[in-house]
Amino acid sequence: MTTKIPAQQTADTTKVNTAEATPLIPLPPTAARALAAGGSAVALVGTFLAWTWTDEFPGNLTVTGYPGGLQVLTLVGAALTLLFTLSGYGIKGLGWLTPGGTNSPVIWTALGVFGTTGYAIGAISYELGGIVNLEPGAWVSIIGALIAVIGALGLPVDQPYDHSDPNPGTWERITQPFKAPAPSRAKELPAWAEILIIAAGFGIGLYVFAYGIATEDSELFIGFLITAAFGFTAIGRAGLLKRLSALTAKHRNITLAAAFAAAICFPFTQTNDQFALIGANILIFATVALGLNIVVGLAGLLDLGYVAFLGVGAYAAALVSGSPQSSIGVQFPFWAAVLTGAAASLIFGVVIGAPTLRLRGDYLAIVTLGFGEIFRITMNNLNGNSGPDVTNGSNGIPNIPDLDFFGFNLGIAHDVLGHELTRSGNYYLLMLFFTAVVVTVFRRSAESRIGRAWVAIREDETAATAMGINGFRLKLLAFALGASLAGLAGTVQAHVSYSVTPEQYQFAGSVPPNSAFLLAAVILGGMGTISGPLVGAALLYLIPAKLQFMADYQLLLFGVALMFLMRFRPEGLVADRRKQLEFHETGQLDVPEDKPLPEGATGVAKAGA
């Protein structure tokens, strides 16, 4: 069956292309939706039955009537599939679930349920020694998931309006950015209701993030990644993320407050100190990535040695921390150590940037890469043999004492509102404060006159210079500001890890942060945005920390992931409007094929050509 999508008008009343939304499997729409709903319901019921007879598989999938482990993920995915499917029936009260499109969310959630359940069955069979270890519940869920996928693929695929190919392939129709018909204007909600929606959104995000960190088994974490990836895509295709973004843009200050309130609650959701430590390291990684975003995302300077500034701040703080192995032998209060680390990185940023920022592109990248390696080698050589005894060479500076604020020692656990806040939780909250400072600096800088000049330099430095912008001075300012923010995070990292060594600050390695992972976090998350590097850094730190058995293939998998990202979402996971327009079709007016151009008119190209 073929469904025609009506032509729409863009904001400037320009017509754009439309394409026929043909289902991937030829089924009547009513039957397809019934299969999707029925299959997801069957998969959901299967999660309440035992999937295996032994509790040797993580998650204890032997209990009937109480889902656990991977069963919970299948249950959540099946419930979302069922809700999106019922929303397509036009049931009153569910229309808000799909403001942007009713079919694409069903397809993605159904595929997610099938992927999670299939992975669970494969993992059980592999670890326990064959499919004989499966109980009926697993078969019920996988059959229901398969039926739901068949039904979902029988629904007409929501088509993008700017698709220039009238006969797109299957993969293109699934992966193309979806632009649904403009829905009727939503009823204006009172301000308090919009604020509650923002709070609920961050609350759900906190729960999902805390659940992912708290997964102790790699099998459960992989299933979590599958469910989260497909579920997030489905929610985006449904239009819910776009509406939430509109609310957050309307209430920006409240959004920032809600985000940090949710982040403050994170250590109180963790009972394992190791998981809280992962959260603290993610914040360190994310803060440094946000500083790099000033250099790369705003000013457009490719810096491949940025991790060296993190090392400068960490070494400066370690030398004045009072460590017995420090060659200086002094102990500054923490506020003075923070200023020392930030100032040292700032000075190095100016010293390195002044002679090198007259270079552009690949040449600048090579010079900064050399600086990163020079820093690491120098820290190795300042060992008393190859050079002065300052950094203790490859042994680094160990035994860095914990911080103490007015009698509040961050190295010991404290009881806060009846909950034990561990050492990692203490440092997490401290790092969250510095993250708030860096976010504020980034936001104010990006929205200022200097920030707009940085963007102009990034887009075309020659044109910016012709307009009167002092490119060198502003690039040096971006380089110095980014370096000082990295040094700020380095001071906390030195105390969190108890020691600093040269091997921690390489261009590439198996453990972040390093220059390659920092740059990838900015690109993956979305250059020039605030939340993009935070999301990218969280993913790039969390996944290696949870899947340590894949350490030998980490860089290979990382490269493959970047290739897919560049192919299907080059603007990053969280992209600003400028990047979306740069990397995707804009729906500009096509040249009518039946009407020739006026005589003398040239240079008009079709959209997408």
Side-chain angles (χ1 to χ4, degrees):
M1 177 173 290
T2 300
T3 304
K4 292 282 189 177
I5 297 180
Q8 299 291 321
Q9 298 288 332
T10 58
D12 60 353
T13 70
T14 301
K15 292 183 178 181
V16 292
N17 290 336
T18 60
E20 295 182 351
T22 56
L24 302 177
I25 297 179
L27 289 174
T30 304
R33 199 168 295 277
L35 284 176
S40 58
V42 171
L44 190 149
V45 170
T47 61
F48 290 90
L49 304 175
W51 281 16
T52 184
W53 58 272
T54 175
D55 59 0
E56 294 181 5
F57 189 81
N60 191 11
L61 309 183
T62 64
V63 180
T64 297
Y66 189 81
L70 289 167
Q71 290 174 319
V72 174
L73 300 176
T74 296
L75 186 150
V76 171
L80 282 175
T81 305
L82 185 59
L83 287 175
F84 283 136
T85 305
L86 294 178
S87 176
Y89 277 114
I91 296 178
K92 186 176 181 180
L94 292 179
W96 61 272
L97 280 173
T98 53
T102 59
N103 297 337
S104 289
V106 177
I107 295 174
W108 282 97
T109 51
L111 290 173
V113 173
F114 185 75
T116 303
T117 309
Y119 164 75
I121 290 177
I124 292 172
S125 302
Y126 176 78
E127 293 194 13
L128 301 183
I131 61 175
V132 295
N133 295 281
L134 297 174
E135 289 291 299
W139 296 111
V140 170
S141 290
I142 191 64
I143 292 173
L146 179 60
I147 294 173
V149 168
I150 294 174
L153 296 180
L155 295 172
V157 180
D158 297 319
Q159 288 290 287
Y161 284 107
D162 55 358
H163 204 302
S164 59
D165 184 1
N167 297 302
T170 298
W171 180 250
E172 285 75 10
R173 284 190 282 162
I174 295 179
T175 58
Q176 282 291 331
F178 171 58
K179 295 184 179 179
S184 57
R185 185 176 180 83
K187 182 180 179 181
E188 190 75 18
L189 295 174
W192 63 267
E194 295 178 343
I195 293 173
L196 285 179
I197 292 175
I198 293 174
F202 280 104
I204 295 173
L206 170 64
Y207 179 82
V208 172
F209 181 70
Y211 181 88
I213 284 187
T215 53
E216 298 184 0
D217 304 298
S218 58
E219 296 86 355
L220 181 58
F221 184 74
I222 293 176
F224 166 77
L225 288 180
I226 296 173
T227 302
F230 281 93
F232 182 82
T233 305
I235 292 174
R237 293 300 181 95
L240 292 176
L241 291 181
K242 188 174 182 179
R243 286 202 169 176
L244 181 61
S245 298
L247 294 181
T248 55
K250 183 178 179 181
H251 305 279
R252 297 184 64 180
N253 292 328
I254 292 176
T255 298
L256 289 175
F260 281 105
I264 290 172
C265 294
F266 167 76
F268 299 99
T269 65
Q270 302 298 312
T271 57
N272 190 324
D273 186 59
Q274 187 65 27
F275 299 151
L277 179 61
I278 292 177
N281 285 322
I282 286 176
L283 281 184
I284 294 173
F285 190 14
T287 302
V288 180
L290 197 57
L292 178 61
N293 199 24
I294 293 179
V295 180
V296 177
L298 294 182
L301 306 175
L302 183 56
D303 188 349
L304 298 182
Y306 187 75
V307 75
F309 297 121
L310 175 69
V312 170
Y315 265 98
L319 288 171
V320 300
S321 65
S323 169
Q325 281 71 35
S326 172
S327 60
I328 297 180
V330 298
Q331 184 171 5
F332 287 2
F334 181 62
W335 64 268
V338 169
L339 293 179
T340 301
S345 296
L346 174 64
I347 293 172
F348 270 84
V350 173
V351 169
I352 298 301
T356 61
L357 287 179
R358 299 187 186 279
L359 302 174
R360 298 187 187 182
D362 298 339
Y363 301 101
L364 176 62
I366 293 172
V367 171
T368 54
L369 175 61
F371 164 66
E373 290 301 299
I374 289 171
F375 167 78
R376 182 178 60 82
I377 295 172
T378 301
M379 294 302 102
N380 258 320
N381 290 339
L382 296 179
N383 55 7
N385 295 321
S386 303
D389 186 8
V390 179
T391 63
N392 204 22
S394 60
N395 294 324
I397 304 177
N399 301 320
I400 298 175
D402 285 307
L403 300 174
D404 193 315
F405 290 112
F406 306 105
F408 188 90
N409 192 326
L410 271 66
I412 60 177
H414 298 274
D415 186 75
V416 179
L417 301 177
H419 183 89
E420 185 182 53
L421 193 62
T422 62
R423 175 185 184 271
S424 298
N426 295 331
Y427 279 106
Y428 171 88
L429 293 178
L430 174 64
M431 195 60 228
L432 183 63
F433 169 76
F434 284 108
T435 303
V437 172
V438 174
V439 167
T440 301
V441 171
F442 182 91
R443 181 185 175 189
R444 295 295 185 184
S445 300
E447 295 176 351
S448 67
R449 178 177 58 85
I450 295 176
R452 293 192 294 271
W454 283 336
V455 173
I457 293 173
R458 181 192 70 192
E459 297 300 323
D460 192 329
E461 184 175 351
T462 303
T465 304
M467 296 298 294
I469 294 176
N470 189 329
F472 173 76
R473 182 166 61 89
L474 288 174
K475 288 193 295 183
L476 184 60
L477 178 61
F479 211 70
L481 180 59
S484 61
L485 295 181
L488 195 71
T491 59
V492 180
Q493 187 208 28
H495 291 85
V496 171
S497 60
Y498 286 119
S499 65
V500 291
T501 58
E503 288 71 22
Q504 294 176 342
Y505 310 105
Q506 303 179 23
F507 169 72
S510 59
V511 179
N514 52 64
S515 292
F517 273 73
L518 288 171
L519 183 61
V522 175
I523 297 173
L524 173 67
M527 293 190 297
T529 64
I530 294 178
S531 56
L534 302 180
V535 173
L539 289 176
L540 290 180
Y541 191 93
L542 182 60
I543 293 176
K546 287 295 182 179
L547 303 180
Q548 296 182 1
F549 68 94
M550 300 174 64
D552 293 338
Y553 307 99
Q554 179 177 315
L555 293 178
L556 172 63
L557 297 175
F558 174 62
V560 172
L562 281 182
M563 289 171 59
F564 277 100
L565 180 72
M566 293 297 100
R567 170 61 181 85
F568 298 110
R569 195 169 179 83
E571 71 272 23
L573 297 178
V574 182
D576 59 8
R577 181 62 176 167
R578 183 188 299 272
K579 291 297 181 184
Q580 289 176 337
L581 293 176
E582 179 180 350
F583 288 108
H584 293 291
E585 301 287 349
T586 59
Q588 69 183 54
L589 179 63
D590 280 356
V591 178
E593 295 182 358
D594 56 343
K595 295 182 180 180
L597 290 173
E599 185 176 355
T602 59
V604 180
K606 290 188 176 182

